[in-house]
Amino acid sequence: MNSLYRSHMCSELNESNIGEKVKLCGWVQKWRDLGGVIFIDLRDRSGIIQIVFDESTDSDACKIASTLRNEYVIQVEGNVIRRSVETVNDNIATGIIEVKCESVNLLDQAQNPPIYIDDADTSKESIRLKYRYLDLRKPSMQRNLIIRHKVAGFIRNYLDENGFIDVETPMLTKPTPEGARDFLVPSRVQKGNFFALPQSPQLYKQILMVSGLDRYYQIVKCFRDEDLRQDRQPEFTQIDIEMSFVDQDDIIKINEEMITKLFKKIKNVDIPLPIPRMPYKEAMERFGSDKPDIRFGLELVDIKNVFKDSGFKVFADSIASGGDIRAINAKGCGESLSRREIDALVDYVKIYKAKGLAWLKVTDTGVKSPIDKFLNDEEVSGLLLATNAEPGDLILIVADKPDIVFDALGHLRLELANKLDIKYKNEYEFLWVTDFPLFEYSDEEKRYMAKHHPFTSPNDEDIELMDTDPGSVRAKAYDLVVNGVEIGGGSIRIHNKELQEKMFEALGFTKESAWEQFGFLLEAFKYGTPPHGGVAYGLDRIMMLLLDLDNIKEVIAFPKTQNHGCLMTNAPGPAEESRLRELGLELQEE
Amino acid sequence: MNSLYRSHMCSELNESNIGEKVKLCGWVQKWRDLGGVIFIDLRDRSGIIQIVFDESTDSDACKIASTLRNEYVIQVEGNVIRRSVETVNDNIATGIIEVKCESVNLLDQAQNPPIYIDDADTSKESIRLKYRYLDLRKPSMQRNLIIRHKVAGFIRNYLDENGFIDVETPMLTKPTPEGARDFLVPSRVQKGNFFALPQSPQLYKQILMVSGLDRYYQIVKCFRDEDLRQDRQPEFTQIDIEMSFVDQDDIIKINEEMITKLFKKIKNVDIPLPIPRMPYKEAMERFGSDKPDIRFGLELVDIKNVFKDSGFKVFADSIASGGDIRAINAKGCGESLSRREIDALVDYVKIYKAKGLAWLKVTDTGVKSPIDKFLNDEEVSGLLLATNAEPGDLILIVADKPDIVFDALGHLRLELANKLDIKYKNEYEFLWVTDFPLFEYSDEEKRYMAKHHPFTSPNDEDIELMDTDPGSVRAKAYDLVVNGVEIGGGSIRIHNKELQEKMFEALGFTKESAWEQFGFLLEAFKYGTPPHGGVAYGLDRIMMLLLDLDNIKEVIAFPKTQNHGCLMTNAPGPAEESRLRELGLELQEE
C-alpha cells in the first residue's frame, strides 16, 4: 500500500527494516515532549509506531513536532532504529523499533476531538454516531469493518468456487401488500405510481432459476419499514442464495459447509458436520423455541399427564380449555436462588403473557411450594419422576395456552441460563430447524398466513392437508440457528403453477388478486421451471455472532437510530416543494 | 455442481466419461422422433448434450420421451456413449458423445414459449423484457450475466489484494439539491421528511477516509431520476474506489493496472502501460471532445488565423463575436462522398447547434465549394497548408461559439469515422483525460457549477484563480476513456475545511446553506483529514465495452424501459391509500 506519500504502513515495519529509510503517514495518537526529545505515536489503519524527534540532530523536524497535537495528520521521513532495551513496548506490534524522524510534513491540523479515539472511549451512542468519522477511527470499529469485508469475501469465494453466479437484482421493484411494510419510492415518470425497495430479492432469484441460471447469489441490501429493535435496521444486508435441481439435503449440505468453513476461518473453531437437524415440533417441545439455544439443557418437560385429574384449579382449568402444562427443572436452583430471585422469574414469564409461574423446591423431605397444598402425593412423585428431579432442584411450571407455554418457558430457559452463568461445552452450537409449519393462523387477520413466505413448498406428503387441515401442513423450510440466534433460513420453493395458485388460495387471495400481484411468477411457471430452493442469511447477524457483539450498530459503518435517522448527516430531511410537485405528491395537512 | 438430482452438468461430459452412468437435468432444447428412436438436445447453463431414447431397449423411457416438447424440464439417467462418426456434431462441445437414456423423469411441462430460446431470436425488445425469464435462457444473455459476474469478481480480487476494504454505505441517505435529481423515499417514522437514494457514495467514502479506513471500495447501486437515453438506467452499478495519502499519479497507476488486467483477463488484449494522458484542453482542441476516440485521426485544426481578415461574412462575424473557426480534413472524402452525403453532414452538425458546415473539395486544380467565391487565394492556400490537404480530400469547417465548434466537429468526427468504416490498429485505445476545468458556467443558472462535483480539488497552482478567473481553474480530475467512451473518472478531493468552504462559496452557496447541506463534511474536516482521492467506474458501461454491445439492457438482468418501468413485474405500481396516509402524503389532484 505504498504511494508517493509513503513507503510503508506504520505497523508493517519490524526488526528487518532496521537501518532503512522510510516514509510514513498517519494520525498523531499521542505525543510527549521530554525536552529536547519528542515522542509521537503515529497511527494508521495497520497500527501504531513510535516516531522520535531529536532536537540535537534534527532541529527543524523537532520544531514542527513541538506544534503537533492529537489527531494531526502528518507525513514523516526517517530511519528505522532499534529501541533501547528499557524502552521496548510489548503492547504494540512495532514495540521493539522506532523511527528517528529527519523531516516531518504537516498534512492537516485537528481540533481536539469530541470523543476519545480509543477502544476505552465511553462516549454515549448518540455522540459516537454524530461523529461517526471519529468513532470509526477506533481500532475495534476498524476491525469490525475489516472482518465484515473478509466475511463477505469468503462467502463470495466459496460460492464462486461452487458455480454460483452473482447477479444484481433491481432495487426499484413493485410494491406488494404481502409481508412486511415496504419503503416506497414515488415515480416521477409514472406519476402517482410507486416503486418499493426490495424486502428481499425472493421473486427475482426464483425468476433467475426459471431462466436456467442454475446457481445464483448476491450480497445485497434489503429494506423493511418497521419500528426498530436493538438488532434491526431499516436497511440490512442479506446473503441471498438460490439453486436449481436440488433437494433440501443438497441445500443444507452446501450451506453448512460454507458456514462452518467461515467460522473456521474467522474464529478458528471446528464445527463438526453434519450440523444436527431438529424438526420444528421437537424444537418447540424441548426448548420452547424455533431457534433453540442447544448449548445447555434446561429442557421443557410435558407434565400434562401428571396433572390430568388435578384438583388444582389453575391446572385443571388450563387442561379443560385445551391448554398445556410444562415444566423446566432448574437443576440446583432450589438452593441457589433466593425467594426474591424466584419472584423475579414469576414476573419474567408475564412478559410472554403467561398468567403465572408455579414453582416447587425439591428438598430431602419432599417439595416446598406455595402450591404444594393443592397437589397430592401421586402428582408430586409423578412430577419429580417426569422432571428427573433431585433434592436441591427447582421445578418451574407454566400452564396456559400451548403457544404461551412454549414462549414463556422458552424465554425462561434463556433467562435461567443467563442467571446461572452456565459454562458451555462449545462456543458455538449449530442446528438446522426443519419441517416448519407452512401456515400460521393470524387471529388479527382471521386467516392463515405463510409462516415463511407464500413461495415455500409444502412437504409432499402433506399437500392434501392444505384443504382439510392447513395448520398441520409442514413445509420444506429450514432455519440455521447458532446459539439460539437464527442466522439464516430458506426453503424449497413451489415450482408448479397449480400448486402456487393453490397456495395463494389458501392464503385468502382470489385468483384475480393473486394474478394481479404475482402474475409474472405464475406466468413464468408456465414455461418449464426447475425444482429449486435457497437460503438467505442476515450478514449483520452473522457479524454480531462472529464478533461477539449484541448491538447491530457496531457492525455497520453508518447505521440508523431507532427513529430511522442518521445522526451524522441528519437524514432524512425535507424535500423541496418543486420535487414533490414533480412527483405529483403533497404533504398532508396535520 | 452435482446434487441428488444430477451427477454432472450437460456440457461437463466428454470422451473421458464414455461408459459412465450419469444423471442430468435440464430443458428440452429440441426433439426429433425418428420412429423408434427419439433424439433430444438437453440444455442447462453449461451447454447442450444429445440424449437418445431407443424404443427397442428402453421402451418406458421412450414412451415418456415421445410426450416431451420444447422447454419441458426433465431429469434423465443413462450411459455416456460415443456417437457414430457420421453423427458427430462439431457445433456443440459435447458433439462426439451422447447419453443413451435408460430412464427419464418429467420435472415440469412447458407451454410453447412466446419467444424463441435462441440467440437467433428476433422478438422485439418489449416482448423480451416482458418474458425476461425466457429471454435470459438464451446462451448470449447467460454469457453476459456470467461475464459480468467474472468482471465484478476480478475487480474485487484485485482491490482486495491491494489493501482495499469493501465497506457498505447507506442506501437511505439525505436529499441534496446539488447534482442530478434524487429518487426520494418518504420516511414514515419522520413523517414529512425524505431519504434520497444515493447518486453515488461520494461523501460516505470521503468520510471513510477521514475515519482512517485508508483504502475503500464498493460495487454498489446508484440512482438518478433522469430521463433515459439508450445507455442510461435509473439504477446503475458503480465500482467505487477511494484512497488516502495519494496523489493523482498513485491513483492513476493502480487503476490503470486494474483495468488493463481486467481487459487482459476477459478479452485477452494487451494494453501497453502507462496509458497515455491528455489534458482536457488538448482533447477538446484536437478531438472536440473530453472523451476522445483516439483510434483514428480526423483531428480538428484551428484555422481562425487563416481567416482572421476574411471577407466571408460568416467567418468574419464569428470571429468578431469571439467565436472560433476549426476544420476537419476528411481524407479522401472529396472523392468518395456524394453531394447528398455531404448535405447529410451539414444537417448532422445542426443537431449540435452549429449554424452551418462549410465544406471544400480539394481537387488537382484547386478547391470546389459553395463558398469558394468568398475566399481569396491566400486563405485557400493557408487552409490547405493548415489542414495538410491533398487532392481528393474534403475539408469541413464550423465557425461558431467555441463550445459549439468543439461539440459539432467532435461529433462530426465520430460520424465520419462511422461512415468511412475506418479499420483501427488496436481494438481498444485507452486514454486518461486530465486537468479538467474545475468549474463550468451555467447560462441557465447564471453561476459557475462544479464540472465534476464540489469536492474536487483545484490544481495547487490555480487556487488563487478561484477568485479572479474561476473559468480557468484546472482541477485534479481525470477520466478514463476507452474508444471514446468514458468508463470512469475521479479526482483528488479537497481535504481542507477552508478550501472546501471557498469552493462552496464559488458555487454560490452562502455559508449557512453550505453548512446546512454539507455541514457534516465540513465538521469532519476539522479533526485531521488525510489527502485523498478516488475513482468511480460505471460497471454497466464497462460491460458494454467488453461485450461489444451498445444497448445497456443487454448487460443487466432486469433493466427498466425508457419510462422507468419494468415490463416483467409492471413496476412501478399503485400504493395503498393507507400506506400513503402513514407516510403523511397524498396524491395531487390532476
Side-chain angles (χ1 to χ4, degrees), chain A residues 350-382:
Chain A
K350 291 180 182 159
I351 302 173
Y352 303 97
K353 298 189 184 152
K355 285 188 293 286
L357 178 73
W359 56 267
L360 299 92
K361 283 187 177 186
V362 185
T363 69
D364 290 327
T365 57
V367 297
K368 278 193 191 162
S369 166
I371 65 162
D372 52 11
K373 54 184 168 295
F374 303 114
L375 312 180
N376 63 34
D377 286 354
E378 196 188 337
E379 285 166 344
V380 169
S381 61

Side-chain angles (χ1 to χ4, degrees), chain A residues 72-187:
Chain A
Y72 275 36
V73 184
I74 58 174
Q75 178 189 44
V76 298
E77 200 164 354
N79 290 298
V80 181
I81 58 172
R82 186 184 297 278
R83 293 203 201 184
S84 61
V85 178
E86 67 280 13
T87 63
V88 163
N89 180 351
D90 291 331
N91 295 323
I92 59 174
T94 60
I96 61 167
I97 53 170
E98 59 194 8
V99 173
K100 189 165 180 308
C101 182
E102 292 176 351
S103 72
V104 55
N105 186 7
L106 176 60
L107 299 175
D108 201 24
Q109 295 186 315
Q111 286 187 13
N112 203 21
I115 68 174
Y116 178 35
I117 312 290
D118 189 287
D119 289 340
D121 174 52
T122 55
S123 303
K124 59 181 184 178
E125 191 173 83
S126 59
I127 297 291
R128 292 180 54 201
L129 291 174
K130 176 171 180 189
Y131 298 100
R132 192 59 159 181
Y133 37 87
L134 300 177
D135 194 45
L136 291 178
R137 287 185 187 172
K138 294 175 187 167
S140 62
M141 294 304 290
Q142 300 215 339
R143 178 207 60 190
N144 294 356
L145 294 183
I146 290 169
I147 294 182
R148 187 178 176 118
H149 161 70
K150 284 188 181 152
V151 168
F154 174 87
I155 298 284
R156 288 181 194 285
N157 286 338
Y158 177 86
L159 293 171
D160 289 355
E161 282 163 17
N162 283 280
F164 290 82
I165 309 292
D166 176 7
V167 180
E168 296 172 69
T169 54
M171 290 282 122
L172 297 171
T173 70
K174 191 183 168 191
T176 54
E178 193 71 11
R181 197 189 283 111
D182 286 327
F183 276 103
L184 294 179
V185 184
S187 169

